[in-house]
Amino acid sequence: MIEVKHLTKRYGTHLAVSDLSFSIERGHVYGFLGPNGAGKSTTMNIITGCLGATEGDVFIDGHNIFEEPTIAKSKIGYLPEIPPLYLDMTPEEHLKFVLAAKKVPRKLWREQMEYAIEKTKLEPVCGRLVRNLSKGYKQRVGFAQALIGNPEVIILDEPTVGLDPAQIIEVRSLIRELGEKHTVILSSHILSEVNAICDSILIISKGKLVANDTPENLTRRLSGTSMLSMQVRADEDAVRALLSENTDAESITYRHGEESGVTGFTLSTVGDLREKLFYLFANAQIPILEMKREQASLEEVFLELTNADETVSMDASVEDAAAKEASEE
């Protein structure tokens, strides 16, 4: 559905995106992640046609966004982090304006408005001015305008920022529902949100793509190390003595505060030690109360792949240049 080929973007001497290439398939929800200054927002703005590129190409359903912008953009619905709303309009008036701006045939207006309003549950506020709506309803109006034109691709930049927990749950449910009929690209700094919603995750760092895989595969690949959490009915000294002589775990962390007579610990291992540990404790006649493997979190994967502590934000002059170029385009 989307193909990015050798995309490069420079702001003066700053290289925001460097020879970036990836493909996005039809009918999935994609998470797009990156630290501040990694080139994520720049890439999204280029894909949506809001920014030009220094080099490279972007194809939307086979149409080059730079050579066929009208056709390519008609296939995209975009919700920026700050929804572009006209505060002195009602949601209904705003959607009619968007319908006209997107050159949707007038005979389809009622159908498309009803679809967008129903999907975003805007019926209770359609007659109120946007300026008087809550943050949650303003975000819904932003979603509704992104749905106008029935785009095949919906791009969402930080769609849950500033929402309360109940609103966040509603937005996540809406995104999952949209993913059934549209290709959705979601940018978010809330990694648990991406993990819960997305079928696949792209991670960008310092202008380059460093990962493109499912959440499960990304967490599984982290340095090949797995964590094994256990609880056994024995005192800690006995457990320490048994493990020190019979296991090749990289590290063992003992937990305090377990119930009386029970020792809890976590082993960091390369490979699967579950069977070996089962027989080890069984032969020592020590009951195993719990044994479970723990995967690395998406946060750990993100930090390892991006070296996030070394990545810095774009400076103010570069941000100003990006904003100015976007407004001009």
Side-chain angles (χ1 to χ4, degrees):
M1 190 66 223
I2 298 177
E3 190 171 7
V4 175
K5 292 185 174 181
H6 306 293
L7 194 65
T8 296
K9 179 64 177 180
R10 295 186 182 89
Y11 296 105
T13 59
H14 178 81
L15 185 62
V17 178
S18 176
D19 195 30
L20 186 64
S21 297
F22 61 86
S23 297
I24 287 178
E25 302 201 4
R26 194 183 305 269
H28 294 284
V29 180
Y30 285 81
F32 195 45
L33 305 179
N36 291 334
K40 174 171 52 68
S41 294
T42 297
T43 302
M44 293 184 72
N45 280 322
I46 294 173
I47 291 175
T48 57
C50 296
L51 280 179
T54 306
E55 298 173 20
D57 293 291
V58 175
F59 295 89
I60 311 296
D61 197 22
H63 299 279
N64 192 309
I65 193 79
F66 308 125
E67 298 176 1
E68 303 173 90
T70 302
I71 298 175
K73 290 180 183 181
S74 70
K75 297 177 178 291
I76 298 173
Y78 182 36
L79 175 60
E81 182 176 348
I82 300 175
L85 306 178
Y86 289 96
L87 302 182
D88 292 327
M89 292 183 176
T90 65
E92 193 168 286
E93 290 170 341
H94 182 79
L95 294 180
K96 286 180 180 178
F97 171 81
V98 175
L99 282 161
K102 289 189 174 183
K103 298 182 179 179
V104 176
R106 186 170 286 272
K107 64 181 179 180
L108 299 178
W109 279 26
R110 177 177 294 277
E111 175 189 334
Q112 293 216 7
M113 279 191 61
E114 289 178 352
Y115 172 75
I117 290 171
E118 187 273 328
K119 281 293 182 187
T120 55
K121 297 182 173 60
L122 280 172
E123 295 94 338
V125 299
C126 274
R128 296 170 55 186
L129 292 179
V130 171
R131 71 165 61 255
N132 297 327
L133 300 182
S134 67
K135 168 71 174 177
Y137 271 116
K138 287 177 180 176
Q139 195 75 337
R140 291 189 197 187
V141 177
F143 267 99
Q145 66 82 25
L147 293 175
I148 292 298
N150 193 27
E152 296 177 62
V153 179
I154 297 176
I155 298 178
L156 310 171
D157 192 0
E158 301 286 350
T160 60
V161 168
L163 302 185
D164 65 36
Q167 293 167 338
I168 289 173
I169 291 172
E170 290 179 358
V171 168
R172 289 179 181 178
S173 177
L174 174 59
I175 293 171
R176 291 190 195 96
E177 190 174 341
L178 293 176
E180 296 174 2
K181 293 185 178 181
H182 306 266
T183 300
V184 179
I185 303 175
L186 164 69
S187 167
S188 176
H189 282 95
I190 306 173
L191 300 188
S192 59
E193 180 172 86
V194 173
N195 198 29
I197 297 175
C198 299
D199 305 314
S200 190
I201 296 175
L202 298 92
I203 301 178
I204 186 173
S205 178
K206 300 173 184 175
K208 296 180 179 291
L209 188 71
V210 294
N212 183 1
D213 212 332
T214 64
E216 295 79 11
N217 287 342
L218 286 174
T219 55
R220 191 178 299 123
R221 72 188 248 192
L222 178 63
S223 67
T225 300
S226 62
M227 309 297 289
L228 188 63
S229 177
M230 295 184 65
Q231 288 190 56
V232 298
R233 192 173 296 284
D235 63 67
E236 185 174 316
D237 289 340
V239 175
R240 285 180 179 273
L242 186 63
L243 292 177
S244 65
E245 298 176 2
N246 296 284
T247 184
D248 52 0
E250 290 190 339
S251 66
I252 304 174
T253 303
Y254 291 88
R255 301 191 296 274
H256 300 289
E258 307 289 345
E259 62 182 281
S260 178
V262 173
T263 297
F265 56 94
T266 301
L267 302 95
S268 176
T269 73
V270 176
D272 190 351
L273 295 181
R274 288 176 296 175
E275 186 173 334
K276 180 178 180 179
L277 290 169
F278 171 82
Y279 286 114
L280 176 65
F281 284 99
N283 291 336
Q285 297 187 332
I286 295 177
I288 297 175
L289 305 181
E290 178 184 82
M291 178 187 289
K292 62 181 180 181
R293 298 183 73 177
E294 299 178 351
Q295 282 191 324
S297 68
L298 186 57
E299 286 83 357
E300 291 173 303
V301 175
F302 180 83
L303 290 173
E304 179 171 287
L305 292 175
T306 62
N307 295 315
D309 56 327
E310 298 177 8
T311 306
V312 296
S313 299
M314 295 165 63
D315 61 36
S317 61
V318 173
E319 290 180 337
D320 290 345
K324 180 180 179 181
E325 184 173 352
S327 63
E328 290 174 349
E329 300 250 351

